[in-house]
Coordinates of all heavy atoms in Angstrom, one line a residue:
Chain A
P34 N 8.2 21.1 -25.2 CA 8.5 22.0 -26.3 C 9.9 22.5 -26.2 O 10.5 22.5 -25.1 CB 7.5 23.2 -26.0 CG 7.2 23.0 -24.5 CD 7.4 21.6 -24.2
F114 N 4.3 13.4 -10.5 CA 3.1 13.7 -11.2 C 1.9 13.3 -10.4 O 0.8 13.6 -10.8 CB 3.1 13.1 -12.6 CG 3.0 14.2 -13.7 CD1 3.6 15.4 -13.6 CD2 2.1 13.9 -14.8 CE1 3.5 16.3 -14.6 CE2 2.0 14.9 -15.8 CZ 2.7 16.1 -15.7
D116 N 1.1 10.0 -9.8 CA 0.6 8.7 -10.2 C 1.3 7.6 -9.4 O 2.5 7.8 -9.0 CB 0.8 8.5 -11.7 CG -0.1 9.4 -12.5 OD1 -1.2 9.7 -12.0 OD2 0.3 9.8 -13.6
S147 N -6.7 17.4 -32.4 CA -7.9 17.3 -31.6 C -8.9 18.4 -32.0 O -10.1 18.2 -31.8 CB -7.6 17.4 -30.1 OG -6.3 17.7 -29.9
T152 N -14.4 23.8 -34.0 CA -14.2 24.1 -32.7 C -13.3 25.4 -32.5 O -13.3 26.0 -31.4 CB -13.5 23.0 -31.9 OG1 -12.4 22.5 -32.6 CG2 -14.4 21.8 -31.7
H154 N -12.5 29.2 -33.7 CA -13.2 30.2 -34.4 C -12.4 31.4 -34.8 O -12.7 32.0 -35.8 CB -14.4 30.6 -33.5 CG -15.2 29.4 -33.1 ND1 -15.8 28.6 -33.9 CD2 -15.5 29.0 -31.8 CE1 -16.4 27.6 -33.2 NE2 -16.2 27.9 -31.9
L187 N -3.3 4.2 -9.4 CA -4.1 5.3 -9.0 C -3.3 6.6 -9.2 O -2.1 6.5 -9.5 CB -4.5 5.2 -7.5 CG -3.4 5.0 -6.5 CD1 -3.2 6.3 -5.7 CD2 -3.7 4.0 -5.5
G188 N -4.0 7.7 -9.0 CA -3.2 9.0 -9.2 C -3.9 10.1 -8.4 O -5.1 10.2 -8.3
H189 N -3.0 11.0 -7.9 CA -3.5 12.3 -7.4 C -3.2 13.4 -8.4 O -2.3 13.2 -9.3 CB -2.7 12.6 -6.1 CG -3.0 11.7 -4.9 ND1 -3.1 12.1 -3.6 CD2 -3.1 10.4 -4.9 CE1 -3.3 11.1 -2.8 NE2 -3.3 10.0 -3.6
V190 N -3.8 14.5 -8.3 CA -3.4 15.6 -9.2 C -2.2 16.4 -8.7 O -1.5 17.0 -9.4 CB -4.6 16.5 -9.4 CG1 -4.3 17.8 -10.1 CG2 -5.7 15.8 -10.2
R212 N -7.5 -8.3 4.1 CA -7.7 -7.1 3.2 C -6.4 -6.3 3.1 O -5.7 -6.2 4.1 CB -8.8 -6.2 3.9 CG -10.1 -6.9 3.7 CD -11.3 -6.0 3.9 NE -12.5 -6.7 3.5 CZ -13.7 -6.3 3.9 NH1 -13.9 -5.3 4.6 NH2 -14.8 -7.0 3.5
S213 N -6.2 -5.7 2.0 CA -5.1 -4.9 1.8 C -5.5 -3.5 1.2 O -6.4 -3.4 0.4 CB -4.1 -5.5 0.8 OG -4.1 -6.9 0.9
Y214 N -4.7 -2.5 1.6 CA -5.0 -1.2 1.2 C -3.7 -0.5 0.7 O -2.6 -0.9 1.1 CB -5.5 -0.3 2.3 CG -6.8 -0.8 2.9 CD1 -6.9 -1.8 3.8 CD2 -8.0 -0.2 2.5 CE1 -8.1 -2.2 4.4 CE2 -9.2 -0.5 3.1 CZ -9.3 -1.6 4.0 OH -10.5 -1.9 4.5
R220 N 1.1 16.6 -1.7 CA 1.5 17.9 -1.3 C 0.3 18.8 -0.9 O 0.5 19.8 -0.2 CB 2.3 18.5 -2.4 CG 3.2 19.7 -2.0 CD 3.9 20.2 -3.2 NE 4.1 21.6 -3.0 CZ 3.7 22.6 -3.7 NH1 3.0 22.4 -4.8 NH2 3.9 23.9 -3.4
D221 N -0.9 18.4 -1.3 CA -2.0 19.2 -1.1 C -2.8 18.7 0.1 O -4.1 18.7 0.1 CB -2.9 19.3 -2.3 CG -2.3 20.3 -3.3 OD1 -2.2 21.5 -2.9 OD2 -2.0 19.9 -4.4
H223 N -3.6 16.0 1.4 CA -4.5 14.8 1.4 C -3.8 13.5 1.9 O -2.6 13.3 1.6 CB -5.0 14.5 0.0 CG -5.9 15.6 -0.5 ND1 -5.5 16.3 -1.6 CD2 -7.0 16.1 -0.1 CE1 -6.5 17.2 -1.9 NE2 -7.4 17.1 -1.0
R225 N -5.0 9.6 1.1 CA -6.0 8.8 0.5 C -5.9 7.4 0.8 O -4.8 6.8 0.9 CB -6.0 9.0 -1.0 CG -7.1 8.4 -1.8 CD -6.8 8.3 -3.2 NE -7.0 9.5 -4.0 CZ -6.9 9.6 -5.3 NH1 -6.7 8.5 -6.0 NH2 -7.0 10.7 -5.9
R228 N -8.2 0.8 -2.0 CA -8.1 -0.7 -2.0 C -6.8 -1.0 -2.7 O -6.3 -0.3 -3.6 CB -9.2 -1.4 -2.6 CG -10.5 -1.2 -1.8 CD -11.6 -2.2 -2.4 NE -12.9 -1.9 -1.8 CZ -14.0 -2.5 -2.1 NH1 -14.0 -3.5 -3.0 NH2 -15.1 -2.2 -1.5
Q232 N -8.2 -3.8 -7.1 CA -9.3 -2.9 -7.0 C -8.7 -1.5 -6.5 O -9.4 -0.8 -5.8 CB -10.3 -3.4 -6.0 CG -11.0 -4.7 -6.4 CD -12.0 -5.1 -5.5 OE1 -12.1 -4.7 -4.3 NE2 -12.9 -6.0 -6.0
H234 N -8.7 1.1 -8.0 CA -9.5 2.3 -8.4 C -10.5 2.7 -7.4 O -11.2 3.7 -7.6 CB -10.1 1.9 -9.8 CG -11.1 0.8 -9.7 ND1 -10.7 -0.5 -9.7 CD2 -12.4 0.8 -9.5 CE1 -11.8 -1.3 -9.6 NE2 -12.8 -0.5 -9.4
I235 N -10.7 1.9 -6.4 CA -11.8 2.2 -5.4 C -11.2 2.9 -4.3 O -10.3 2.4 -3.6 CB -12.5 0.9 -4.9 CG1 -13.2 0.3 -6.1 CG2 -13.5 1.3 -3.8 CD1 -13.8 -1.1 -5.8
I236 N -11.7 4.1 -4.0 CA -11.2 5.0 -2.9 C -12.1 4.7 -1.7 O -13.3 4.8 -1.8 CB -11.2 6.5 -3.3 CG1 -10.3 6.7 -4.5 CG2 -10.8 7.3 -2.1 CD1 -10.4 8.2 -4.9
E237 N -11.5 4.2 -0.6 CA -12.4 3.9 0.5 C -12.6 5.1 1.4 O -13.6 5.3 2.1 CB -11.7 2.8 1.4 CG -11.8 1.4 0.7 CD -13.2 0.9 0.8 OE1 -13.9 1.1 1.8 OE2 -13.6 0.3 -0.2
Y239 N -10.7 9.3 2.9 CA -9.6 10.2 3.0 C -9.4 10.6 4.5 O -10.4 10.6 5.3 CB -10.0 11.5 2.3 CG -9.9 11.4 0.8 CD1 -11.0 11.0 0.1 CD2 -8.7 11.8 0.1 CE1 -11.0 10.9 -1.3 CE2 -8.7 11.7 -1.3 CZ -9.8 11.3 -2.0 OH -9.7 11.2 -3.3
L241 N -8.5 13.7 6.2 CA -8.3 15.2 6.0 C -8.2 15.9 7.3 O -9.0 15.8 8.2 CB -9.4 15.7 5.1 CG -9.6 15.0 3.8 CD1 -10.9 15.5 3.1 CD2 -8.4 15.2 2.9
G242 N -7.2 16.8 7.4 CA -7.0 17.6 8.6 C -5.7 18.4 8.6 O -5.6 19.4 9.2
H243 N -4.8 17.9 7.8 CA -3.5 18.6 7.7 C -3.8 20.0 7.0 O -4.6 20.1 6.1 CB -2.5 17.8 6.9 CG -1.8 16.8 7.7 ND1 -0.7 17.1 8.4 CD2 -2.1 15.5 7.8 CE1 -0.3 15.9 9.1 NE2 -1.1 15.0 8.7
K244 N -3.0 21.0 7.4 CA -3.1 22.3 6.8 C -2.0 22.6 5.9 O -2.0 23.6 5.2 CB -3.2 23.4 7.9 CG -4.2 23.2 8.9 CD -5.4 24.2 8.7 CE -6.4 24.1 9.8 NZ -7.8 24.1 9.3
K456 N 4.0 25.4 0.4 CA 3.4 26.3 -0.6 C 3.8 27.7 -0.2 O 3.8 28.1 1.0 CB 1.9 26.2 -0.7 CG 1.4 24.9 -1.2 CD -0.1 24.8 -1.1 CE -0.6 23.4 -1.4 NZ -2.0 23.3 -1.1
E460 N -0.3 33.3 -4.7 CA -1.0 32.7 -5.9 C -2.2 33.6 -6.2 O -2.6 33.7 -7.3 CB -1.4 31.3 -5.6 CG -2.3 30.6 -6.6 CD -3.8 30.9 -6.2 OE1 -4.1 31.0 -5.1 OE2 -4.6 30.9 -7.2
E461 N -2.8 34.2 -5.1 CA -4.0 34.9 -5.3 C -3.9 36.2 -6.2 O -4.8 36.8 -6.5 CB -4.6 35.3 -3.9 CG -5.0 34.2 -3.0 CD -6.0 33.2 -3.7 OE1 -7.1 33.7 -4.0 OE2 -5.7 32.0 -3.8
S464 N -4.2 37.1 -12.5 CA -4.9 38.1 -13.2 C -6.4 37.8 -13.1 O -6.8 36.7 -13.2 CB -4.5 38.2 -14.6 OG -4.8 37.0 -15.3
Chain B
Q45 N -13.0 36.8 -17.8 CA -11.7 36.4 -17.3 C -11.2 35.4 -18.3 O -12.0 34.7 -18.9 CB -11.8 35.7 -15.9 CG -10.5 35.6 -15.3 CD -10.7 35.1 -13.8 OE1 -11.8 34.9 -13.3 NE2 -9.6 34.8 -13.2
F52 N -2.9 23.1 -11.6 CA -1.8 22.6 -10.8 C -1.2 23.7 -9.9 O -0.4 23.4 -9.0 CB -0.6 22.0 -11.7 CG -1.1 21.0 -12.6 CD1 -1.0 21.1 -13.9 CD2 -1.7 19.8 -12.1 CE1 -1.5 20.1 -14.8 CE2 -2.1 18.8 -12.9 CZ -2.0 18.9 -14.3
D54 N -0.7 26.4 -6.9 CA -1.0 26.3 -5.4 C -2.2 27.1 -5.1 O -2.2 28.4 -5.1 CB 0.2 26.7 -4.6 CG 1.3 25.8 -4.7 OD1 1.1 24.7 -5.3 OD2 2.4 26.1 -4.3
H55 N -3.3 26.5 -4.8 CA -4.5 27.3 -4.3 C -4.6 27.1 -2.8 O -4.6 26.0 -2.3 CB -5.7 26.8 -5.0 CG -5.8 27.1 -6.5 ND1 -5.4 26.2 -7.4 CD2 -6.1 28.2 -7.1 CE1 -5.5 26.7 -8.6 NE2 -5.9 27.9 -8.5
T60 N -10.7 22.4 5.0 CA -9.8 21.3 5.1 C -10.5 19.9 4.9 O -9.9 19.0 4.4 CB -9.2 21.3 6.6 OG1 -8.8 22.6 6.9 CG2 -8.1 20.4 6.8
S61 N -11.7 19.8 5.3 CA -12.5 18.6 5.1 C -13.9 18.9 5.0 O -14.4 20.0 5.3 CB -12.2 17.6 6.2 OG -12.9 18.1 7.4
S133 N -13.2 35.9 -10.8 CA -14.2 36.9 -11.3 C -15.5 36.2 -11.7 O -16.6 36.7 -11.4 CB -13.6 37.7 -12.5 OG -12.7 38.6 -12.0
R162 N -15.8 29.2 -5.3 CA -14.5 29.1 -6.0 C -13.8 27.8 -5.5 O -13.7 27.6 -4.3 CB -13.6 30.3 -5.8 CG -12.3 30.1 -6.6 CD -11.5 31.4 -6.6 NE -10.3 31.1 -7.4 CZ -9.1 31.3 -7.0 NH1 -8.8 31.7 -5.8 NH2 -8.1 31.0 -7.8
M166 N -10.1 19.6 -9.3 CA -9.2 18.5 -9.6 C -8.3 18.2 -8.4 O -7.9 17.0 -8.3 CB -8.3 19.0 -10.8 CG -9.1 19.0 -12.1 SD -8.1 19.4 -13.5 CE -7.0 18.1 -13.6
K167 N -8.1 19.2 -7.6 CA -7.3 18.8 -6.4 C -8.1 18.6 -5.2 O -7.7 17.8 -4.3 CB -6.3 20.0 -6.1 CG -5.1 20.0 -7.0 CD -4.1 21.1 -6.5 CE -2.8 21.1 -7.2 NZ -1.9 22.0 -6.7
F168 N -9.2 19.3 -5.0 CA -9.9 19.4 -3.7 C -11.3 18.9 -3.7 O -12.0 19.2 -2.7 CB -9.8 20.8 -3.2 CG -8.4 21.3 -3.0 CD1 -7.8 22.3 -3.8 CD2 -7.7 20.8 -1.9 CE1 -6.5 22.7 -3.6 CE2 -6.4 21.2 -1.7 CZ -5.8 22.2 -2.5
P170 N -12.6 16.0 -2.8 CA -13.0 15.3 -1.6 C -13.0 16.2 -0.3 O -13.4 15.8 0.7 CB -11.9 14.2 -1.4 CG -10.8 14.6 -2.3 CD -11.4 15.4 -3.4
N171 N -12.4 17.4 -0.5 CA -12.5 18.4 0.7 C -13.9 18.9 0.8 O -14.3 19.4 1.9 CB -11.6 19.5 0.5 CG -10.1 19.1 0.5 OD1 -9.7 18.2 -0.1 ND2 -9.3 19.8 1.3
K175 N -18.2 10.7 0.9 CA -18.3 9.5 0.1 C -19.8 9.3 -0.3 O -20.6 9.3 0.6 CB -17.8 8.3 0.8 CG -17.7 7.1 0.0 CD -17.1 5.9 0.9 CE -16.9 4.7 0.0 NZ -16.1 3.7 0.8
F190 N -5.6 20.9 -25.7 CA -5.3 20.2 -27.0 C -4.0 19.5 -27.0 O -3.8 18.4 -27.5 CB -5.4 21.1 -28.2 CG -6.8 21.6 -28.5 CD1 -7.1 22.9 -28.5 CD2 -7.7 20.6 -28.8 CE1 -8.4 23.3 -28.8 CE2 -9.0 21.0 -29.1 CZ -9.4 22.3 -29.1
R193 N 1.0 17.1 -24.1 CA 1.6 17.2 -22.8 C 0.8 17.9 -21.7 O 1.1 18.0 -20.6 CB 3.0 17.9 -22.9 CG 3.0 19.3 -23.5 CD 4.4 19.8 -23.6 NE 5.0 20.0 -22.3 CZ 4.9 21.0 -21.6 NH1 4.2 22.0 -22.0 NH2 5.5 21.1 -20.4
K196 N -2.7 15.8 -18.8 CA -2.9 15.6 -17.4 C -3.8 16.7 -16.8 O -4.4 16.5 -15.7 CB -1.5 15.7 -16.7 CG -1.5 15.6 -15.2 CD -1.3 14.2 -14.7 CE -1.4 14.2 -13.1 NZ -1.4 12.9 -12.6
T203 N -7.3 8.3 -13.6 CA -7.1 8.3 -12.2 C -8.0 9.3 -11.5 O -8.5 9.0 -10.3 CB -5.6 8.8 -11.9 OG1 -5.4 10.0 -12.7 CG2 -4.6 7.7 -12.3
L204 N -8.4 10.4 -12.1 CA -9.3 11.4 -11.5 C -10.7 10.8 -11.4 O -11.5 11.1 -10.6 CB -9.3 12.6 -12.3 CG -9.6 14.0 -11.7 CD1 -8.9 14.1 -10.3 CD2 -9.2 15.1 -12.6
S206 N -11.6 8.1 -10.4 CA -11.8 7.4 -9.1 C -12.3 8.4 -8.1 O -13.1 8.0 -7.2 CB -10.4 6.9 -8.6 OG -10.0 5.8 -9.4
E207 N -12.0 9.6 -8.2 CA -12.5 10.6 -7.2 C -13.9 11.0 -7.5 O -14.7 11.2 -6.6 CB -11.6 11.9 -7.3 CG -10.2 11.7 -6.8 CD -9.6 13.0 -6.3 OE1 -10.2 14.1 -6.3 OE2 -8.4 12.9 -5.9
Y210 N -15.8 8.3 -6.1 CA -15.9 8.4 -4.6 C -17.0 9.3 -4.1 O -17.8 8.9 -3.2 CB -14.5 8.9 -4.1 CG -14.5 9.2 -2.6 CD1 -14.4 8.2 -1.7 CD2 -14.5 10.5 -2.2 CE1 -14.4 8.5 -0.3 CE2 -14.5 10.8 -0.9 CZ -14.4 9.8 0.1 OH -14.4 10.1 1.4
D223 N -17.9 20.3 -27.5 CA -17.9 20.5 -28.9 C -16.7 20.0 -29.6 O -16.5 20.1 -30.8 CB -18.2 21.9 -29.3 CG -17.1 22.8 -28.7 OD1 -16.6 22.5 -27.6 OD2 -16.8 23.9 -29.3
V224 N -15.7 19.4 -28.8 CA -14.4 19.0 -29.3 C -14.5 17.4 -29.4 O -14.6 16.8 -28.4 CB -13.3 19.4 -28.4 CG1 -12.0 18.9 -29.0 CG2 -13.3 20.9 -28.2
D226 N -12.5 15.1 -30.2 CA -11.4 14.4 -29.7 C -11.5 14.3 -28.2 O -11.3 13.2 -27.6 CB -10.1 15.1 -30.1 CG -8.9 14.4 -29.6 OD1 -8.6 13.3 -30.1 OD2 -8.2 14.8 -28.6
P239 N -13.5 0.9 -14.1 CA -14.4 -0.2 -13.7 C -15.6 0.3 -12.9 O -16.6 -0.4 -12.7 CB -13.6 -1.1 -12.8 CG -12.2 -0.8 -13.1 CD -12.1 0.6 -13.5
S240 N -15.6 1.5 -12.3 CA -16.7 2.0 -11.5 C -17.8 2.7 -12.4 O -18.8 3.1 -11.8 CB -16.2 3.0 -10.5 OG -15.4 2.4 -9.6
N271 N -22.4 29.2 -33.5 CA -21.4 28.9 -34.5 C -21.7 27.7 -35.3 O -20.8 27.2 -36.1 CB -20.0 28.7 -33.8 CG -19.5 30.0 -33.2 OD1 -19.6 31.1 -33.8 ND2 -19.0 29.9 -32.0
D285 N -19.8 -0.7 -5.9 CA -18.4 -1.3 -5.8 C -18.5 -2.8 -5.7 O -19.4 -3.3 -5.0 CB -17.8 -0.8 -4.5 CG -17.3 0.7 -4.7 OD1 -17.1 1.1 -5.8 OD2 -17.1 1.4 -3.7
P286 N -17.6 -3.5 -6.3 CA -17.6 -5.0 -6.2 C -17.2 -5.4 -4.8 O -16.6 -4.6 -4.1 CB -16.6 -5.4 -7.2 CG -15.6 -4.2 -7.3 CD -16.5 -3.0 -7.1
P287 N -17.6 -6.6 -4.4 CA -17.1 -7.1 -3.1 C -15.6 -7.2 -3.0 O -15.0 -7.3 -4.1 CB -17.8 -8.4 -2.9 CG -18.2 -8.8 -4.3 CD -18.4 -7.6 -5.1
W288 N -15.1 -7.2 -1.8 CA -13.6 -7.4 -1.7 C -13.2 -8.7 -2.3 O -13.9 -9.7 -2.2 CB -13.2 -7.3 -0.3 CG -13.1 -5.9 0.2 CD1 -14.1 -5.2 0.7 CD2 -11.9 -5.2 0.4 NE1 -13.7 -3.9 1.1 CE2 -12.3 -3.9 0.9 CE3 -10.5 -5.4 0.2 CZ2 -11.4 -2.9 1.2 CZ3 -9.6 -4.4 0.4 CH2 -10.1 -3.2 1.0
P289 N -12.0 -8.8 -3.0 CA -11.6 -10.1 -3.6 C -11.4 -11.1 -2.5 O -11.0 -10.8 -1.4 CB -10.3 -9.7 -4.3 CG -9.9 -8.5 -3.7 CD -11.1 -7.7 -3.2

Side-chain angles (χ1 to χ4, degrees):
Chain A
F114 237 42
D116 292 329
S147 11
T152 52
H154 308 303
L187 59 102
H189 294 220
V190 170
R212 288 196 171 163
S213 330
Y214 297 83
R220 198 181 152 240
D221 282 299
H223 298 118
R225 188 195 283 188
R228 291 189 190 179
Q232 295 183 341
H234 63 277
I235 298 175
I236 300 173
E237 287 288 321
Y239 287 87
L241 301 173
H243 278 277
K244 304 255 187 220
K456 294 176 189 172
E460 172 272 331
E461 298 301 305
S464 65
Chain B
Q45 195 173 356
F52 304 119
D54 292 348
H55 291 96
T60 311
S61 74
S133 284
R162 179 170 184 236
M166 285 180 67
K167 281 186 172 185
F168 297 108
N171 292 51
K175 186 177 189 173
F190 288 121
R193 60 181 294 274
K196 175 96 182 170
T203 51
L204 206 46
S206 294
E207 292 202 3
Y210 172 76
D223 57 329
V224 182
D226 183 70
S240 296
N271 291 320
D285 283 340
W288 280 80

